[in-house]
Amino acid sequence: LQQQGIITEKQKAELLQKHMENEMALDKLHKQKREQQLAHMREKMADRKKKKLRKLQNQHDAEISELSAKLIESGNTDSLEQELEYLKRLHQQELEAAESELNAEENENLKTISRAVDDDHTSTLKQTQGCSKKFDRQLSRSTEGCHAETDGRLQERYGCPQPGAESGEKQTTQ
């Protein structure tokens, strides 16, 4: 628009500055939204992880108590220590597997949230660019603030009244 003489260099600089400020504000909002959603999801997953691991630990404790009671009742105290050690190793493996599963689920959720927020941001940027293009078209059609030679050309082109023409006369366009 500035090259066509529709806007001045100062107006161009102001428009570019406003455009940059809007983009920076959108980027800041995008980052805040992403961080907020990710933090919320991490918090929920941490609570879920604690509950699941606590439940598993309680289950393991009950199994150890049950095994100890059975072995003591049967009088088989010689293998008690060996059996308990085996069960503790098995329980440790279960805990590690559950933790890994929860961590993988958390990572997948993080990716999903990031992708959704990024898609939303991309959509917003496209809308902003569409609005910017629409604004540019409207601005180029506008006769306000135009230079004198461009002013007449635009008025002719879009059927606007010519300066000095009487208000009752209808302009014709070619």
Side-chain angles (χ1 to χ4, degrees), residues 66-136:
E66 185 181 320
L67 179 64
S68 295
K70 281 183 182 179
L71 291 174
I72 291 173
E73 281 180 23
S74 69
N76 191 0
T77 55
D78 296 337
S79 64
L80 176 63
E81 198 171 301
Q82 221 175 10
E83 291 288 331
L84 289 177
E85 223 19 74
Y86 172 76
L87 192 57
K88 286 181 181 180
R89 281 194 308 264
L90 183 64
H91 288 166
Q92 184 62 34
Q93 289 174 349
E94 285 180 3
L95 284 172
E96 289 172 1
E99 236 180 305
S100 293
E101 183 181 312
L102 289 168
N103 287 338
E105 185 179 336
E106 181 178 351
N107 288 334
E108 188 60 36
N109 287 339
L110 290 172
K111 288 178 187 176
T112 301
I113 288 172
S114 290
R115 197 174 312 126
V117 171
D118 288 346
D119 289 348
D120 183 51
H121 181 62
T122 300
S123 174
T124 302
L125 286 176
K126 285 181 181 178
Q127 287 176 344
T128 302
Q129 288 173 349
C131 289
S132 179
K133 288 178 183 177
K134 183 178 178 182
F135 174 76
D136 288 346

Side-chain angles (χ1 to χ4, degrees), residues 3 10 22 27 32 45 58 71 75 89 91 117 141 145 166 169-170:
Q3 290 175 347
K10 183 180 177 183
N22 287 339
D27 284 343
Q32 287 174 342
M45 286 300 293
N58 290 340
L71 291 174
R89 281 194 308 264
H91 288 166
V117 171
R141 291 182 183 139
E166 294 185 26
E169 293 182 18
K170 187 176 182 180

